[in-house]
Amino acid sequence: MFVLRFDLRIPPFVTNLTHAEQYREFLRMVEWSDDKGFAAVVLSEHHGTEDGYMNSPLLLAGSVLGRTSNVFCSVSALLLPLHDPLRIAEEIATIDLIAPGRFNVVIGVGYRESEFEMFGKNRKTRGKDTEEGIRTVLTALKGKPFTYNGREVLITPQPVSDPSSLISVGGSVEISAKRAARLGLSFVPAVRDENLESVYYEEAKAVGYENPMCMMPSGPGMVIVTEDPERTWNEIGDNLIYDAISYAAWQYKDQRSSWHIEGTSIEELKAGGQHLIVTPGECVDLVKTNGAAVLHPLIGGIDPSIGWESLELVANKVIPTLN
């Protein structure tokens, strides 16, 4: 399985690419990939960054699904405590109506203090706010009147899909695993940790949740395919280092992620194992071993032509070999 991941950030030192150009390339890539054997598109969310990190993943998810007929689209993760849950419910329902069965939102609690300050939200209550928000969204998606903060509200039109199939819970701590089980939702941890998986399934059994599903991250978080890996490392190394350093700078002691690499050089990124630049043959071996590859064709504001080369090699040399 091949997943296309996008966060649409451009480092300050990149002067030959605008966000308008990058967004157009993103939508072109998604539309092109729809009938080539790619399985899914994954979008992310952050706010107030100097590099313009994607801040409206639901809007872009609607664009992805409106321009495709086959690929699945996941927002991973949507930072629910920063938003009005009623408005989020409306947007989720609308997107599901556009493409029933091809959409899911992984709910995250958020962690960057600046984002909570930007939206006037309380970071200290993010766990409670997230759980209450998820319950509100699930209730709202049923399409029936209910009481919210003392008011009677109604979200219509309701989605085609079952509300529980549209929402998953993210996180990297046991509280998140238990929250997912209590809410009767799938769990998508941000880090590979078998203990979290065990806690989730144990809690699901304790609360009587009969259909639990934990989807653990596996393999590198970025794969670029090229005929000449060393050349490509030299071309985009600075972009990848920027991406790693800026992401690491956001992390707190209570925040874990498989994507977090403390690397300040190409050699350190190579050793970290999350950034992988490979030949088509090596990509075939990777997918045979892991079952999937996460392609990141616009990572760190790289020249879109490099991302296109990667996608075309996967479509023309990797997928046919696997098939």
Side-chain angles (χ1 to χ4, degrees), residues 22 34 57 67 108 128 136 140 154 172 237 245 254 258 273 290 319:
Q22 189 189 53
D34 191 44
R67 294 180 70 150
K128 177 178 72 70
T136 297
L154 174 64
S172 59
I245 291 174
D254 61 349
S258 294
N290 290 352
I319 291 176

Side-chain angles (χ1 to χ4, degrees), residues 15-200:
T15 59
N16 59 347
L17 179 68
T18 68
H19 275 103
E21 292 167 339
Q22 189 189 53
Y23 274 55
R24 284 196 297 271
E25 292 300 316
F26 152 65
L27 289 174
R28 284 184 60 222
M29 287 177 173
V30 167
E31 188 170 16
W32 172 89
S33 72
D34 191 44
D35 62 355
K36 304 291 191 304
F38 297 87
V41 172
V42 177
L43 309 176
S44 307
E45 176 187 7
H46 279 296
H47 301 270
T49 67
E50 65 174 358
D51 52 38
Y53 196 112
M54 180 190 302
N55 59 29
S56 301
L58 291 177
L59 176 60
L60 291 176
S63 299
V64 167
L65 294 168
R67 294 180 70 150
T68 60
S69 300
N70 301 301
V71 298
F72 190 85
C73 184
S74 174
V75 173
S76 182
L78 181 79
L79 309 181
L80 187 57
L82 305 181
H83 302 285
D84 177 347
L86 294 182
R87 184 64 185 138
I88 292 299
E90 289 184 325
E91 294 186 7
I92 290 174
T94 298
I95 295 171
D96 183 62
L97 290 167
I98 292 172
R102 291 201 289 133
F103 178 59
N104 177 267
V105 175
V106 179
I107 299 296
V109 299
Y111 54 91
R112 294 178 69 226
E113 291 179 357
S114 62
E115 293 178 330
F116 286 85
E117 293 169 357
M118 178 175 173
F119 290 97
K121 303 295 184 179
N122 187 352
R123 187 180 185 274
K124 293 181 180 179
T125 62
R126 60 188 177 138
K128 177 178 72 70
D129 294 341
T130 296
E131 185 153 343
E132 291 178 356
I134 294 174
R135 292 186 187 278
T136 297
V137 171
L138 290 172
T139 301
L141 291 176
K142 296 177 181 178
K144 300 183 183 301
F146 69 103
T147 300
Y148 176 69
N149 289 346
R151 313 185 304 272
E152 184 174 280
V153 298
L154 174 64
I155 301 301
T156 60
Q158 68 185 94
V160 176
S161 303
D162 185 287
S164 64
S165 73
L166 294 169
I167 305 293
S168 299
V169 175
S172 59
V173 295
E174 291 186 9
I175 292 173
S176 299
K178 292 181 178 180
R179 178 180 297 126
R182 283 199 309 272
L183 294 169
L185 298 172
S186 57
F187 181 45
V188 185
V191 63
R192 188 168 188 83
D193 183 341
E194 281 70 21
N195 179 62
L196 288 178
E197 185 176 33
S198 297
V199 168
Y200 170 68

Side-chain angles (χ1 to χ4, degrees), residues 269-289:
L269 293 191
K270 288 180 178 179
Q274 279 296 315
H275 302 78
L276 196 64
I277 301 180
V278 295
T279 65
E282 290 168 335
C283 187
V284 169
D285 293 338
L286 173 70
V287 176
K288 286 182 177 179
T289 300

